[in-house]
Amino acid sequence: MGCSAERTPLRSGVGRDPLPGPAGRSVPRPRLVARLSAGVLGPLTVLVGPPGSGKTALLREWALTGGAPGPVAWVTCDGGAPGNGAYGSGAEPPGLFWHRVARALSAAGVAVPDRDGTAAPGTGPVPGRPQDCLLPVARLAEGLAARGAPVVLVLDGFPTEAGSPCAAGVLSLLAHAGPALRLVVAARGDPPLHLHRHRLAGGLTELRTGALAFDDQEATALLALHGTALPRRAVASLTRRTEGWAAGLSLAARAMARQPDPERYAAQFSGADEEVVGYVVEEVLDGRPAQVRRLLLTTSVLDRVNAALADAVAGGRAGRHFTALVRENAFLEASGQGWYRYHRTIGEALRKRLDEERPGRAAGPHRRAAAWLGDHGLLADAVRHALAADDRPYAHRLIVHHLAIGQVLGLTAGRLPRGLLAATARPPVTGPLTPADDSTETALVTAASALADGDVPACAAALAHAAGALAGPATDGPAANGTSLGGPAADGDRMLRNRLAYAVIRTQLERYRDPAAAPAAADDARRLLALLPREALADRPELRALVSLVRGSAELRRGRPAAAESALTAGLKAAGAAGNGALRRDCLIELALLAAVRGRFRAAAELAATAQRPPLPVCSPADHSHAALQAVRAWTGLAGAGPPAARNGLPRGGDEDRAREPAVALSRRELDVLAHLARTLTTEEIAAELQLSANTVKTHLKSVYRKLCVTRRSAAVRRARELGLLPPQP
């Protein structure tokens, strides 16, 4: 590890030797200088950021402001540069590092004992082996421990390799030097100095990439240094796109100074700019081993990455270097739970370099990423990478295979991004399809996307296009539980999932086009759902919500209240799990209608009120459940269970006839039996008047009781009058 010692001034900021750092003017950053001044009151301060984030310039500004609690000894290290590994891999001996640390401390006025215990300027023999570090570290610790006043040791560009002798020596120095030592370390990644231990002890101050980023005001000042002025909005956009990266802003400022239209250039500036790419290649890629270089380039196509995904995308042994890469470089920023993301501008530059070095070969990493992400349930990311690989058929297969057709239809709170759906959907190809044809999934996704946009004819056309390929028999047992989309073993599973997507789309389509046909489609979907493994449906409640709603509504109108209640209750629960307010609202309205049919008008009014209460969407005349809601309002109002306004809430116009239809459908013969029942005739008397057998009358009576949800004659007559099936009692 090559280092150079620099003498820095004391508190006054006056000294003969120059401080290291960039030449020329720099942007003052008082907010960060104040944090450094507060941090050096404790034992350890670290600055961690990618190359070009302004660490050295900030330290230089801080040292010149006189904010240190004592003299500053500065050691500039180059161990953080690419290719510099631990001792024994081409770096300078660690003994040389400690010799320079001792010389810097001595120049700052710290008395460092020599081998015989007397004070020396730290210019003795330079040990060359790792174990030879122990003696100078011990002597430095002894000299610092005997000192009463604080001294600040700055290690700029400290290496991040774990287990290096230099890091071990710095840890020993921190442990034995006493309170006089205030250590400031600047590095491109986390220095291996037991940061967690210092953090828990409350003795650590950290300035990381986010803190080092330039804000809009600082970016404006940086542009002004280069003679460029931009409108406030343009500066904010540039700062956001560069994430406040000092090097990126500086490169943009220099380029803009040569542009006839700086604002237009700023609007187009990205990490793909030639100067940025050149900087990143020099600072990040050059000197890296071939496998690490490949890892950096191929994983740069990812929005976020973890070790397993890096291994899948980079292939070979490259992924094994990911953990070390994360530890040693702050341009990979932690986003939680083992995931990381590239700094935006640096990632753009790496992707540009990948295109330059391997033209047209970025599709491979994208496709491998799509496969891994799909297998791990990260569907939106998987689809995005499939599209980036220019493989729309594979994106469609991912959507259908993962039973996400409900997300395309808008049946869930967390939909696939609209921009993503717009990129996937396209008119289906012409000609007949086969069950294994990728265009089958394309037709299904196109149909679902069209229906979500309200284009019923386009949905019907695409669905009809897929129907031919799905005409074969469905599997009659549980589907395969593999994650791969290909291979003969998956053919049956693929056909099953395609047919389920078709049935779900058709169920939703018929709700718009022909409500009487929707129950048959829902029955198909229910049968296909039963063939899938339970775990495959664990996070797809929207499918069950739609199917249960349509089935429950049909059962209610068939006069099967128990079956209707079971289905609608299940649908209500599933709709809540899916976060679909419209399905939840419709289930509540149907349950309100069921309660009204049973004569439970107060419960019906409460359910209807809940269905109209935010955050559920308003039920408009265009909605499927509007007529049912109007009927519930009218019945509850007439029964005195609803608000007085409900008496005037009878439907008008086209909905009037639908609302007047009885929710319970009795046959003509059942109505005749019911009319005679109202006259308090016996079964035999009814049979005689209608010229039927007594057993036939009893059968009709059982059917009437079941449809009216009652068990006695008097209750049946009373319910029939409430529903308008019999005239009011005189």
Side-chain angles (χ1 to χ4, degrees), residues 286-581:
D286 284 352
R288 297 279 186 186
Q291 290 179 342
V292 175
R293 183 185 179 92
R294 180 168 184 249
L295 174 64
L296 283 165
L297 291 175
T298 54
T299 57
S300 69
V301 306
L302 303 168
D303 294 325
R304 57 179 187 150
V305 58
N306 62 15
L309 178 55
D311 192 66
V313 171
R317 301 176 59 187
R320 302 180 185 179
H321 298 280
F322 180 76
T323 302
L325 191 67
V326 166
R327 183 181 64 248
E328 297 172 10
N329 295 278
F331 55 75
L332 275 165
E333 300 178 27
S335 55
Q337 298 182 332
W339 288 93
Y340 297 84
R341 71 171 187 91
Y342 279 92
H343 185 282
R344 178 173 176 172
T345 312
I346 294 176
E348 290 171 346
L350 291 173
R351 289 193 290 275
K352 177 67 173 178
R353 189 62 176 179
L354 175 63
D355 290 338
E356 293 173 349
E357 293 188 2
R358 304 180 181 183
R361 295 179 62 183
H366 279 299
R367 179 63 185 263
R368 292 192 291 273
W372 189 94
L373 291 163
D375 287 347
H376 289 79
L378 301 169
L379 182 62
D381 291 334
V383 171
R384 187 176 293 109
H385 282 287
L387 294 173
D390 197 24
D391 195 347
R392 280 199 287 185
Y394 186 65
H396 301 150
R397 288 192 65 186
L398 283 166
I399 291 172
V400 176
H401 176 82
H402 288 280
L403 307 178
I405 206 68
Q407 293 187 38
V408 183
L409 286 169
L411 301 180
T412 62
R415 295 183 60 179
L416 289 171
R418 293 297 298 165
L420 208 60
L421 292 177
T424 61
R426 64 178 179 183
V429 297
T430 58
L433 300 178
T434 65
D437 195 332
D438 282 337
S439 295
T440 304
E441 284 95 348
T442 293
L444 291 169
V445 173
T446 300
S449 183
L451 188 56
D453 290 335
D455 192 343
V456 172
C459 172
L463 206 58
H465 188 66
L470 303 174
T475 54
D476 56 1
N481 193 22
T483 55
S484 173
L485 296 187
D491 286 347
D493 182 57
R494 180 179 178 186
M495 181 66 165
L496 171 60
R497 292 171 189 247
N498 283 354
R499 294 194 67 185
L500 175 60
Y502 176 87
V504 170
I505 298 169
R506 181 168 166 256
T507 300
Q508 183 75 332
L509 171 64
E510 300 298 7
R511 294 183 73 207
Y512 289 93
R513 187 174 63 173
D514 183 9
D523 287 340
D524 285 344
R526 181 193 183 200
R527 179 171 52 84
L528 294 165
L529 285 168
L531 298 177
L532 284 165
R534 184 185 301 271
E535 57 271 18
L537 298 169
D539 57 348
R540 294 291 180 255
E542 67 276 5
L543 303 182
R544 294 196 182 279
L546 175 64
V547 170
S548 297
L549 168 62
V550 174
R551 289 188 57 255
S553 179
E555 295 289 9
L556 174 57
R557 284 152 182 80
R558 291 168 184 161
R560 300 172 183 169
E565 183 177 27
S566 176
L568 291 171
T569 302
L572 182 63
K573 181 179 179 181
N580 188 312

Side-chain angles (χ1 to χ4, degrees), residues 200-262:
L200 288 173
L204 175 64
T205 297
E206 301 174 84
L207 279 75
R208 295 186 169 270
T209 304
L212 295 170
F214 275 50
D215 59 23
D216 291 352
Q217 184 176 358
E218 291 166 338
T220 300
L222 179 60
L223 294 174
L225 287 178
H226 294 274
T228 300
L230 292 176
R232 182 178 300 177
R233 183 171 56 184
V235 173
S237 174
L238 181 63
T239 305
R240 183 175 62 254
R241 284 185 287 110
T242 60
E243 296 187 1
W245 182 41
L249 288 168
S250 296
L251 293 170
R254 292 186 183 125
M256 277 187 280
R258 304 188 299 268
Q259 298 294 323
D261 189 349

